[in-house]
């Protein structure tokens, strides 16, 4: 009997040794890190910040689609008749809630916000150098503003149209599986954007690191946002702060001969450089980090797809001596734009995409000043832009409404294909009026403030989110 | 006077002696082979105390009381015989073999059990049936042999993977393959290749080593395996030694393979030229231009299909020894299997060895080991199902292209939109892999007190797969890279430790209880590498060290663990009423933190009706009713599917970037499986006819489905446990002994009916998944296509139907509908075995009925001109040519005829088939000859596999993947082998 108890004890011991508690069931993933642990140090936060910039490099966002839409929806560009079928609904104004571009903007925009919010959630609790912490916090906030602005431009009516109108859901924290937010008003979104840009402004410093968000970028974007709100005083203050920082100067527009590997036709040298003296904030791409045939330059260049081409509505605006005529070239039956010729030494499609540059800030300043009645100041900024492209033109003498119109015209001439046209039309309550069209019966007129001016929330979101209300007309 | 009385007294005395005792003697021999049988027990009927046994020569001598009526002869495995004495003093009898059920004792979860007491549903395949098949992997031998089990080989390539479904498809996004257990240890199965070849982890085992394969189907049988048992369990035990003389066995098989049919024939040069001319002129090219084009094609006429196919060869050797004494038993084997496939550049070779040892240290303590190691080398056609694969491109390369140029070099400038020369590719490119496998199990068992035993069992399954791919710079695929070489490796192990306490006791002769308590811990890890490089100096060197540009280098690691506790109880009363119950608690590292542990249970009963006194129907030997109900689970999901994760590689400006890659899902849990089963075992006519009937219903719920969520979370969707599906049906197994004398005839027949239905999807929403529509109330693999209406006899244009049945001539006006599904109405097989004087003939048919197949490969071959200059099916010659033609091939036009070859029901075909799968004719030399050369047994045989197929399916082979998609896969081969088995 005794030996039986002994044996039973041995068995009990074996059982208890091999008996498994929860520790045995803890496994650590090797290719990924648990999200709770992924941002534990400032170095981790910096790496996560790179992931946010990386998402802005998406084809739907700054690599191509967002910029193309801003112009092709308007009178600046059109589809080449033999195009491969991209952007059809945008150009022909037949967008529905199931449109792929809408789904892409929405999904990638919120993906970027999620990446940013995961950093901002944890950044304050991390230990380390305060300056580095501030930098990361500032850059993340700046990128959050950029993303919210992108989304509210697309899916809401203009601020000036109706600030209390539906905008987009603001995201300031990472959300759980069941989250179904309603849309904030356009005014609320703008308030959030400005708050984030202020955080960026306060935490960042001026420097020439133009592939990352800086103090200058924060102020430049603030000047734009205030302009969209018709807040002239603030727009003026922010714009002039950037101009007076002395860090940037307008780039010379010099023609480059066409060497091998760059775009057809002559082009403006400043646009074939990784950065120039007026680059404030670019999204950077390289030959090992780009989307090959799905880049902005590739869409515009004939040697690429060449599916989106400039309209004569735009091209006829330039006088013959204007250097900016070198942004356009004829090849075969059509005129193309080589504003994005590809960085010299790289290949077509590899460009650093400008989110904001000094020329825009000058124009913001000019417009703000003219609205405030400071016509002389407005004219100094305006003329710098004009003379940079055509030194022979005399000083501007227009005043009042004519001066304002001239400034807006110069804005259109300086900033095509840089993601501005549609928003400028929206904020000024101007209709889209087309003369030069792809096919004779394409839509020639879209009325400002109509249902078309706000794109539909994608159906994939409407299907899931019970709190979201679709824009009228879709 | 005195003489008479003495004589009378003598007579009386003798008479008394006679009246008191009789001496009976004789010899007992076997009815089949005439051999004498030692050890036969002989007793007087009615008086068991008087008896004897036969000696070594089968002779006996017994003094019986004179009033004895009969003698009863009995011996294990033989039919008892009652022989009336009738005054005889010499009684020679012949004993016949008892027709036992194939399985008196069944291998079950964590042990063995008497078939009579087993309440679950299980089917067995024994060694004899397994040994005969020259298959590259053992699970292929199960096809058509086990009720309820569907085995499909989607490729005939040597070493290819199979898909197995036990009682239907139960899961949408998690795994559907059963759990495999060898010698008590779960093993690695499936296709672990990183490249798109097909490999099969199970092919690294030699089926000649297996003693039996048991398929566990219902809850009572599988529930003890808990969270991995939802798709059924396949238990394998390997051969062990036996006390006695060492028996050595050598078997050798060799043979050749050919294609099973000549289907999918493409055009020859003359037909091809006719087709090109017509397609071009119908598209508007002038006859003169078209003729010039055709003339420029040249005079070659290459039969590419013939160039790519070859006669395959098989060689299979096995040498084994088993023996031992009362204390120690061993089984040792070594095997070499080699098969060259029917497609050039494909083959598989396997070297394997095994040693199984059992030792009893005392009559209480036993321990043992089961160890096998193998090395497999596999060469695959390069390209894996895409156009660069010879198995695909042989149909498309125009017949007007020669294999070689004038100068003897390969013709690689093929003027069609596919520039792959399949013969060149098979020769110049390389796509091979090798597998190293080791499976070792050690166990010890100790009897603590009578009836109470403790067993501990530890096993490791270690698997390594290395894949080697090389694209020669002189081939189109390799040219743009100046040579491309890739090496990927996968290393995986599963380690399992099980401890079991078992107690068996009978109380007061009528209550029997059998209790099992167990604990198990399992851990598994998989490590992979992937490297590739390009830009080689020449084609003389192919290893990555010689490439100028490394292009990829990566490794990854993943792991999981499982902890379990389980218990099982079997109770029976008087051997008549049986009850069983089981319980298992599993904890898995894969599940969400909130749902880590899961409980599974089952109950079962069996009633041996024939043991009841009221059941005395003559002729009914066995009538047993059984039933079970229980739960099991499916944990075959990603190792870290429930975690919130960050990934890397989101780089910017040359610096590393991270981002959330997976949203946390703490609620994630295993899929549930609820099973009930009711069955009847019937044996009549002296057990010469045995029927097993089962009716089952299997409901899987909490199925993992991608559920869309708000994109504001930064993610599109998340896996949640929301769906449910049901599989129900009937299984019938019939085994009969038709003739039993000198000429024997056995029949085994099985048929299974299964109905699959999706019960619930997220919010009742349809999911359209490629070719299929997943919809509540419909079968899982329901084809979602537009309906084809044929060819318009007036102008040869294609037509379709809309959902109201109206003819439309534009495919975009045709509505999508559910038009058939891939699930068979029934499947099964039947085997007839004939034996006469040492000659044995086995004929095995298997069949499948009612399943549809989507012939996507035909869609590419019968393209009506849409694919331009690639070759096309010979059927294209049936095309419409003038008004009034009635045909099902539209008018051929270069560039296509109004989307006539787009996806539609035109390509949905009936996949039903009947196949003569195996014929095996063997002859065992009579013992008088073999004894002379001191051999135990010599058997020679000839075998044919996949000999004949009857089907309406026009594709290569009606046996396709479970999902019913037919693509250009490596076709199954018809194999004829000859072999010899020698026992020493």
């Amino acid at each position: 009997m005794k030996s039986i108890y002994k044996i039973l004890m041995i068995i009990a011991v074996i059982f208890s040794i091999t008996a498994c508690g929860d520790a045995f069931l803890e496994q650590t993933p090797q290719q990924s890190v648990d999200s709770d642990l992924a941002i534990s140090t400032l170095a981790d936060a910096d790496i996560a910040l790179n992931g946010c910039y990386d998402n802005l490099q998406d084809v739907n966002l700054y690599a191509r689609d967002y910029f193309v839409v801003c112009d092709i929806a308007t009178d600046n560009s059109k589809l080449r008749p033999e195009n491969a079928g991209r952007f059809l609904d945008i150009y022909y104004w037949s967008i529905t809630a199931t449109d792929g571009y809408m789904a892409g903007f929405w999904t990638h925009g919120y993906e970027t916000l999620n990446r940013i919010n995961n950093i901002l959630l944890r950044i304050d609790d991390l230990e380390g150098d305060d300056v580095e912490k501030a930098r990361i916090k500032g850059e993340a906030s700046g990128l959050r503003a950029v993303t919210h602005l992108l989304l509210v431009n697309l899916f809401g009516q203009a601020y000036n149209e109706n600030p209390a109108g539906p905008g987009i859901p603001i995201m300031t924290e990472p959300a759980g599986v069941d989250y179904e937010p309603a849309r904030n008003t356009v005014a609320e979104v703008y308030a959030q954007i400005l708050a984030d840009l202020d955080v960026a402004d306060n935490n960042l410093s001026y420097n020439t690191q133009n592939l990352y968000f800086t103090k200058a970028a924060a102020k430049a974007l603030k000047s734009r946002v205030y302009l969209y709100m018709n807040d002239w005083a603030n727009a003026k203050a922010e714009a002039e702060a950037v101009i007076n920082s002395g860090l940037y100067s307008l780039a010379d527009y010099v023609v480059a001969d066409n060497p091998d590997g760059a775009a057809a036709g002559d082009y403006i040298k400043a646009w074939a450089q990784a950065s120039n003296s007026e680059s404030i904030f670019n999204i950077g791409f390289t030959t090992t980090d780009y989307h090959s045939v799905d880049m902005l330059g590739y869409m515009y260049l004939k040697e690429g797809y060449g599916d989106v081409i400039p309209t004569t509505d735009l091209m006829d605006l330039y006088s013959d001596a204007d250097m900016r005529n070198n942004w356009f070239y004829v090849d075969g039956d059509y005129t193309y734009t080589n504003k994005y010729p590809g960085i010299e030494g790289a290949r077509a499609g590899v460009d650093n995409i400008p989110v904001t540059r000094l020329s825009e800030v000058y124009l913001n300043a000019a417009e703000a000043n003219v609205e405030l009645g400071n016509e002389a100041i407005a004219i100094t900024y305006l003329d710098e832009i004009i003379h940079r492209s055509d030194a022979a033109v005399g000083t501007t003498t227009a005043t009042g409404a004519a001066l304002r119109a001239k400034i807006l015209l110069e804005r259109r001439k300086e900033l095509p294909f840089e993601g501005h046209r549609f928003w400028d039309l929206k904020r000024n309550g101007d209709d889209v009026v087309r003369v030069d069209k792809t096919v004779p019966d394409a839509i020639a007129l879209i009325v400002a403030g109509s249902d078309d001016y706000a794109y539909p929330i994608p159906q994939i979101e409407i299907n899931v989110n019970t709190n979201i209300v679709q824009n009228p007309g879709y | 006077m005195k003489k008479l009385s003495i004589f009378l007294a003598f007579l009386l005395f003798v008479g008394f002696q006679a009246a008191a005792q009789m001496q009976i003697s004789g010899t007992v021999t076997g009815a089949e082979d005439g051999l004498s049988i030692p050890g036969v027990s002989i007793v007087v009927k009615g008086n068991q105390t008087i008896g004897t046994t036969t000696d070594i020569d089968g002779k006996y001598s017994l003094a019986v009381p004179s009033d004895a009526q009969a003698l009863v002869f009995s011996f294990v495995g033989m039919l008892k015989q009652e022989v009336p004495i009738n005054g005889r003093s010499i009684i020679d009898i012949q004993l016949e073999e008892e027709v036992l059920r194939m399985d008196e004792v069944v291998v079950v979860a964590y042990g063995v059990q008497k078939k009579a007491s087993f309440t679950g549903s299980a089917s067995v395949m024994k060694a004899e049936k397994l040994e005969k098949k020259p298959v590259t992997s053992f699970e292929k031998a199960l096809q058509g042999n086990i009720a309820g089990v569907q085995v499909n080989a989607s490729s005939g390539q040597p070493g290819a993977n199979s898909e197995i479904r036990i009682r239907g498809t139960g899961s949408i996004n998690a795994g559907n393959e059963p759990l495999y257990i060898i010698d008590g240890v779960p093993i690695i199965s499936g296709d672990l290749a990183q490249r798109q070849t097909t490999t099969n982890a199970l092919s690294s085992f030699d089926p000649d080593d297996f003693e039996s394969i048991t398929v566990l189907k219902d809850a009572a049988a599988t529930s003890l395996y808990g969270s991995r048992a939802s798709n059924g369990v396949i238990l394998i035990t390997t051969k062990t030694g036996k006390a006695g003389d060492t028996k050595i066995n050598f078997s050798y098989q060799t043979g050749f393979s050919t294609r099973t049919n000549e289907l999918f024939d493409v055009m020859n040069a003359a037909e091809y030229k006719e087709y090109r001319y017509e397609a071009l002129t119908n598209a508007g090219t002038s006859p003169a231009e078209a003729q010039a084009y055709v003339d420029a094609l040249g005079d070659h006429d290459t039969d590419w299909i013939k160039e790519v196919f070859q006669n395959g060869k098989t060689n299979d050797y096995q040498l084994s020894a088993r023996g031992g004494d009362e204390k120690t038993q061993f089984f040792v084997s070594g095997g070499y299997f080699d098969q060259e496939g029917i497609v050039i550049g494909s083959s598989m070779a396997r070297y394997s060895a095994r040693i199984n040892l059992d030792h009893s240290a005392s009559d209480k303590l036993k321990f043992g080991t089961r160890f096998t190691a193998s090395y497999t080398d596999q060469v695959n056609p390069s390209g894996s199902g895409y156009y660069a694969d010879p198995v695909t491109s042989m149909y498309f390369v125009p017949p007007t292209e020669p294999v070689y140029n004038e100068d003897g070099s390969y013709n690689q400038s093929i003027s069609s939109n596919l520039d792959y020369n399949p013969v060149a590719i098979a020769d110049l490119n390389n796509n091979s892999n090798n597998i190293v496998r080791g499976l070792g199990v050690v166990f010890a068992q100790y009897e603590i007190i009578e009836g109470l035993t403790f067993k501990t069992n530890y096993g490791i399954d270690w698997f390594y797969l290395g894949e080697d791919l090389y694209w020669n710079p002189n081939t189109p695929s390799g040219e743009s890279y100046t040579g491309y070489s890739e090496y990927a490796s996968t290393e995986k192990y599963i380690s399992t430790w099980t401890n079991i306490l078992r107690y068996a006791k009978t109380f007061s002769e009528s209550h029997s209880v059998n209790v099992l308590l167990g604990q198990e811990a399992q851990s598994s890890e998989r490590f992979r590498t992937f490297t590739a490089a390009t830009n080689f100096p020449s084609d003389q060197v192919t290893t990555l060290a010689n490439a100028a540009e490394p292009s990829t280098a990566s490794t990854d690691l993943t792991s999981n663990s499982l902890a379990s506790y389980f218990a099982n109880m079997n109770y029976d009363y008087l051997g008549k009423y049986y009850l069983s119950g089981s319980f298992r608690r599993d904890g898995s590292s894969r599940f969400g933190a909130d749902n880590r542990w899961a409980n599974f249970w089952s109950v079962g009963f069996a009633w041996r009706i024939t043991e009841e006194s009221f059941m005395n129907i003559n002729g009914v030997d066995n009538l047993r009713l059984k039933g079970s109900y229980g739960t099991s689970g499916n944990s075959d999901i990603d190792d870290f599917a429930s975690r919130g994760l960050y990934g890397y590689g989101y780089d910017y400006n040359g610096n590393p970037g991270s981002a959330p890659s997976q949203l946390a899902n703490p609620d994630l849990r295993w899929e549930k499986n609820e099973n009930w089963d009711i069955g009847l075992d019937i044996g009549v006519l002296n057990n010469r006819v045995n029927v097993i009937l089962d009716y089952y219903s299997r409901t899987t719920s909490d199925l993992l489905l991608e559920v869309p969520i708000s994109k504001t979370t930064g993610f599109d969707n998340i896996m949640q446990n929301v769906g449910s599906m049901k599989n129900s049906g009937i299984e019938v197994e019939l085994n009969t002994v038709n003739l039993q004398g000198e000429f024997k005839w056995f029949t085994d027949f099985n048929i299974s009916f299964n109905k699959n239905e999706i019960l619930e999807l997220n919010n009742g929403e349809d999911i359209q998944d490629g070719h299929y529509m997943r919809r509540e109330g419909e079968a899982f693999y329901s084809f979602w296509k537009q309906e084809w209406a044929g060819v318009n006899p007036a102008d040869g244009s294609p037509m379709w139907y809309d959902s109201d049945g109206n003819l439309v001539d534009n495919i975009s006006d045709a509505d999508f509908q559910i038009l058939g599904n891939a699930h068979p109405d029934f499947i099964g097989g039947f085997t007839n075995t004939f034996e006469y004087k040492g000659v044995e003939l086995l004929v095995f048919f298997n069949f499948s009925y009612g399943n549809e197949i989507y012939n996507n490969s035909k869609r590419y071959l019968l393209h009506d001109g849409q694919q331009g200059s690639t070759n096309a099916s010979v059927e294209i010659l049936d095309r419409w040519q003038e008004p009034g033609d009635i045909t099902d091939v539209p008018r051929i036009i270069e560039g296509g005829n109004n989307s006539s070859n787009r996806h539609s029901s035109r390509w949905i075909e009936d996949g039903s088939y009947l196949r003569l799968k195996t014929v095996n004719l063997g002859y065992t030399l009579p013992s008088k000859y073999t004894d002379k050369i001191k051999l135990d047994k010599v058997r020679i045989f000839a075998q044919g596999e996949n000999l004949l197929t009857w089907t309406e399916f026009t594709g290569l082979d009606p046996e396709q993947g479970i999902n019913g998609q037919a693509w250009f896969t490596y076709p199954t081969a018809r194999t004829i082998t000859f072999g010899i088995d020698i026992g020493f």
Side-chain angles (χ1 to χ4, degrees), chain A residues 4 11 18 20 24-27 30-35 47-48 50 54 107 110 118 171 211-212 284 461, chain B residues 448-449 497 519 556-557 559-561 565 589 596-597 643-644 646 651-653 656-659 710-712 716:
Chain A
I4 289 179
I11 292 170
T18 57
C20 309
F24 178 69
L25 296 176
E26 288 304 321
Q27 293 280 358
Q30 297 295 320
Q31 275 66 251
S32 327
V33 174
D34 273 312
S35 34
I47 291 177
N50 281 334
D54 172 78
T107 311
Y110 281 102
N118 270 289
M171 293 300 289
L211 292 179
Y212 299 94
E461 181 71 31
Chain B
I448 303 169
I449 53 173
W497 190 4
Q519 172 267 332
D556 69 69
L557 179 63
S559 55
N560 67 67
S561 49
Y565 301 94
S589 64
R596 190 139 274 179
W597 290 88
R643 313 281 192 102
Y646 255 67
D651 306 342
Y652 181 71
N653 198 23
S658 70
S710 170
K711 319 306 160 209
T712 58
D716 283 333

Side-chain angles (χ1 to χ4, degrees), chain A residues 4 7-8 11 14-15 17-22 24-36 38-39 44 46-54 57 106-107 110-111 114-115 118-119 122 169 171 175-181 211-212 281-286 289 460-461 463-465 468, chain B residues 446 448-449 452 454 456 497 499-501 517-524 555-565 587-590 596-597 640 643-665 708-716 718 720 765:
Chain A
I4 289 179
I7 289 155
L8 281 171
I11 292 170
I14 295 180
F15 260 98
I17 290 173
T18 57
C20 309
D22 283 317
F24 178 69
L25 296 176
E26 288 304 321
Q27 293 280 358
T28 316
Q30 297 295 320
Q31 275 66 251
S32 327
V33 174
D34 273 312
S35 34
D36 295 331
I39 303 180
D44 292 337
D46 196 29
I47 291 177
L49 187 62
N50 281 334
C52 303
Y53 286 103
D54 172 78
Q57 285 181 311
W106 186 271
T107 311
Y110 281 102
E111 200 173 43
N114 186 40
R115 295 185 187 187
N118 270 289
I119 300 171
R122 298 177 173 92
M171 293 300 289
V177 170
D178 298 320
Y179 192 56
E180 289 181 30
L211 292 179
Y212 299 94
F281 178 39
N282 295 340
I283 301 290
F285 292 92
T286 67
D289 183 13
I460 49 173
E461 181 71 31
N463 285 343
V464 177
N465 186 337
I468 272 214
Chain B
Y446 184 73
I448 303 169
I449 53 173
L452 180 66
F454 171 73
T456 182
W497 190 4
N499 294 298
I500 296 179
L501 201 56
L517 273 178
Q519 172 267 332
E520 191 169 78
Q522 177 185 305
S523 70
S524 169
T555 65
D556 69 69
L557 179 63
T558 187
S559 55
N560 67 67
S561 49
L562 183 74
S564 321
Y565 301 94
S588 167
S589 64
R590 284 179 172 161
R596 190 139 274 179
W597 290 88
F640 299 104
R643 313 281 192 102
L645 294 176
Y646 255 67
Y648 297 87
Y650 303 95
D651 306 342
Y652 181 71
N653 198 23
N655 294 319
S658 70
S661 56
Q662 185 171 282
L663 201 53
N665 197 356
I709 55 176
S710 170
K711 319 306 160 209
T712 58
T713 59
F715 289 92
D716 283 333
I718 201 166
Q720 287 190 329
E765 275 162 24

Side-chain angles (χ1 to χ4, degrees), chain B residues 466-651:
Chain B
E467 298 171 73
D468 205 342
L469 178 76
Y470 172 68
W471 289 344
N472 193 311
N474 299 321
T475 61
S477 7
E479 203 178 339
S480 51
Y481 297 96
T482 322
Y484 175 80
S485 184
E486 184 187 287
Y487 188 79
S489 76
T490 307
E491 186 187 317
K492 184 165 177 177
Y493 77 78
I494 298 183
S495 117
T496 314
W497 190 4
T498 316
N499 294 298
I500 296 179
L501 201 56
R502 212 188 290 274
Y503 183 65
K505 177 134 180 140
T506 307
F507 300 93
S508 32
E509 299 272 325
S510 42
H511 305 269
S512 281
V513 170
N514 215 305
V515 177
L516 179 156
L517 273 178
Q519 172 267 332
E520 191 169 78
Q522 177 185 305
S523 70
S524 169
E525 203 175 273
R526 184 195 72 186
F527 177 71
R528 300 192 305 185
T529 69
F530 189 94
T531 52
T534 63
N535 206 345
F536 282 78
S538 75
D539 65 354
Q540 299 299 307
V541 286
T542 62
T543 52
L544 274 71
N546 296 293
E549 275 176 55
S551 62
T552 318
S554 100
T555 65
D556 69 69
L557 179 63
T558 187
S559 55
N560 67 67
S561 49
L562 183 74
S564 321
Y565 301 94
F566 51 93
N568 189 29
M569 190 208 68
N570 282 300
Y571 163 79
D572 79 82
Y573 176 64
L574 292 178
K576 259 196 277 188
Y577 310 106
Y578 294 85
L579 274 180
S580 71
S582 75
F583 174 80
R584 178 156 179 146
R585 185 170 168 79
D586 270 345
S588 167
S589 64
R590 284 179 172 161
F591 300 127
D594 295 344
N595 279 306
R596 190 139 274 179
W597 290 88
N599 296 322
F600 305 96
W601 57 271
S602 77
V603 290
F605 80 91
W607 177 22
R608 288 184 76 187
I609 305 178
T610 37
E611 293 292 307
E612 296 285 4
S613 44
F614 64 73
M615 251 309 295
N616 231 329
I617 303 176
N618 224 349
V620 178
D621 304 296
N622 179 24
L623 189 62
R624 193 174 80 115
L625 179 68
K626 67 169 168 54
S628 73
Y629 178 80
T631 65
S632 56
N634 189 349
S635 61
D636 195 359
I637 60 175
D638 275 349
D639 287 336
F640 299 104
S642 66
R643 313 281 192 102
L645 294 176
Y646 255 67
Y648 297 87
Y650 303 95
D651 306 342

Side-chain angles (χ1 to χ4, degrees), chain A residues 108-180:
Chain A
H108 290 108
Y110 281 102
E111 200 173 43
T112 315
L113 287 171
N114 186 40
R115 295 185 187 187
I116 294 167
N117 287 330
N118 270 289
I119 300 171
L120 290 173
L121 177 70
R122 298 177 173 92
I123 187 73
D124 287 328
D125 299 327
L126 296 178
E127 307 214 325
D129 178 37
D130 282 334
V131 172
E132 179 69 1
K133 224 190 208 185
R135 177 188 73 78
I136 295 174
K137 189 168 179 182
E139 287 189 38
S141 303
L143 294 182
R144 186 161 73 187
V146 165
T147 313
H148 274 134
L149 182 63
L150 182 163
L151 288 169
V152 79
N153 279 343
L154 287 163
F155 297 105
Q157 293 285 356
Y159 183 93
N160 294 333
E161 179 68 33
N162 178 12
I168 48 151
I170 297 173
M171 293 300 289
T172 51
E173 290 178 333
V177 170
D178 298 320
Y179 192 56
E180 289 181 30

Side-chain angles (χ1 to χ4, degrees), chain B residues 69-82:
Chain B
Q69 296 296 319
L71 292 178
V72 180
F73 295 80
S74 62
F75 184 68
V76 161
M78 301 274 187
L79 280 174
K80 217 189 266 202
Q81 273 199 42
E82 216 180 82

Side-chain angles (χ1 to χ4, degrees), chain A residues 280-295:
Chain A
I280 299 179
F281 178 39
N282 295 340
I283 301 290
F285 292 92
T286 67
T287 32
T288 49
D289 183 13
Y290 81 123
H291 295 289
S292 146
V293 299
D294 290 328
M295 293 297 298

Side-chain angles (χ1 to χ4, degrees), chain B residues 247-423:
Chain B
K247 295 223 179 304
I248 299 182
N249 197 289
F250 171 72
S251 62
Y252 171 58
Q253 249 192 76
T254 180
F256 61 92
S257 315
T258 55
R259 302 167 63 190
T260 53
N261 58 52
E262 306 278 313
L263 290 176
F264 264 25
D265 205 6
V266 291
M267 298 185 276
N268 63 28
E271 292 163 338
Y272 174 74
K273 287 179 180 169
E274 184 189 329
Y275 148 74
R276 295 297 292 130
Y277 180 83
E278 191 170 315
L280 285 168
T281 47
N282 281 349
T285 314
S286 75
E289 255 185 84
Q291 190 59 51
Y293 167 84
V294 161
D295 290 337
L297 290 174
D299 293 320
H300 297 280
D301 191 356
T302 313
D303 186 345
W304 286 100
I305 294 182
K306 208 146 150 247
E307 296 289 335
V308 169
F309 279 112
Q310 63 184 3
N311 279 345
K313 290 196 282 276
T314 308
N315 286 303
D316 189 2
Y317 301 81
Q318 215 226 21
L319 182 63
S320 68
R322 71 201 299 190
D325 56 28
E326 279 89 51
K327 284 199 149 253
T328 314
Q329 297 94 38
F330 67 89
F331 173 80
V332 175
S333 79
Y336 172 64
F337 175 89
D338 176 9
Q339 182 170 88
E340 207 177 301
I342 55 176
V343 172
I344 50 177
S346 66
S347 65
M348 180 181 127
R350 177 184 65 224
Y351 307 81
S352 59
R354 172 176 283 279
I355 174 161
N356 287 355
L357 274 173
D358 290 276
H359 178 74
S360 306
S362 69
D363 52 6
K364 287 189 187 245
L365 178 62
K366 262 181 26 178
F367 49 84
T369 163
R370 308 271 180 268
F371 182 71
T372 181
S374 73
Y375 173 76
T376 309
D377 219 328
Q378 193 179 321
V379 177
N380 313 303
S382 174
S384 317
Y386 298 114
Y387 283 128
D389 188 341
V391 165
T392 308
S393 60
M394 65 174 151
Y395 301 105
F396 295 107
V397 183
T400 46
E401 294 283 347
V403 180
Y404 300 99
N405 292 323
E406 296 286 311
D407 59 6
S409 65
Y410 283 113
N411 169 17
Q412 302 236 53
S413 47
I414 297 194
S415 55
S416 82
N417 32 337
L418 295 165
D419 54 2
Y420 296 107
N421 178 338
V423 179

